Amino acid sequence: QVQLVESGGGLVQVGGSLRLSCAASGRTFSSYSMGWFRRAPGKEREFVAAISSSGGRTYYADSVKGRFTISRDNAQNTVYLQMKSLKPEDTAVYLCAASSTFASMSWEYDYWGQGTQVTVSS
């Protein structure tokens, strides 16, 4: 079992940056691919980014490509999401998740965190 706890959310102005962290429990973190998803008010949860277990592969939603960077530190059992050039439409609860496969579909993820709120003000 993997427990995930996100942090780093907050209120930021348009064009600003934030770095989200997701700390994982358990000694098997390095065997999981990790993903970030987000859920905006009135919208369904959507995929943001994924990283393979080794960190060698990444994949991004078109809406964040070039602005967001996913990374991981297996020694620290942590995955990060660096967000730059933030837009109002990036406002959402951001959730991290763990999967046994490198995936972009939420149903492929087995473990989820509770989420951290990101609000981008204009």
Side-chain angles (χ1 to χ4, degrees), residues 6-13 16-21 36-41 48 67-68 81-84 86-95 115-121:
E6 301 93 337
S7 61
L11 176 64
V12 63
Q13 291 187 332
S17 299
L18 277 176
R19 188 177 81 156
L20 305 183
S21 299
W36 284 97
F37 291 77
R38 65 187 181 186
R39 184 174 61 239
V48 175
R67 300 188 298 122
F68 290 12
L81 185 68
Q82 178 69 52
M83 306 185 294
K84 299 180 179 179
L86 284 161
K87 305 175 182 180
E89 52 263 43
D90 294 318
T91 294
V93 174
Y94 283 73
L95 308 102
T116 185
Q117 176 70 47
V118 172
T119 302
V120 183
S121 66

Side-chain angles (χ1 to χ4, degrees), residues 16-83:
S17 299
L18 277 176
R19 188 177 81 156
L20 305 183
S21 299
C22 174
S25 65
R27 292 177 288 180
T28 58
F29 174 76
S30 61
S31 67
Y32 288 93
S33 292
M34 300 296 296
W36 284 97
F37 291 77
R38 65 187 181 186
R39 184 174 61 239
K43 295 186 178 181
E44 294 187 357
R45 184 171 53 191
E46 66 170 344
F47 169 77
V48 175
I51 189 166
S52 61
S53 57
S54 67
R57 288 188 295 168
T58 57
Y59 181 66
Y60 298 91
D62 288 343
S63 59
V64 306
K65 200 173 295 182
R67 300 188 298 122
F68 290 12
T69 302
I70 189 171
S71 61
R72 67 189 296 161
D73 183 341
N74 284 345
Q76 297 295 323
N77 281 11
T78 303
V79 61
Y80 303 98
L81 185 68
Q82 178 69 52
M83 306 185 294

Side-chain angles (χ1 to χ4, degrees), residues 33-37 47 49-51 96-112:
S33 292
M34 300 296 296
W36 284 97
F37 291 77
F47 169 77
I51 189 166
C96 72
S99 173
S100 57
T101 62
F102 183 58
S104 63
M105 303 300 290
S106 60
W107 58 265
E108 297 181 280
Y109 283 80
D110 303 304
Y111 303 103
W112 292 83

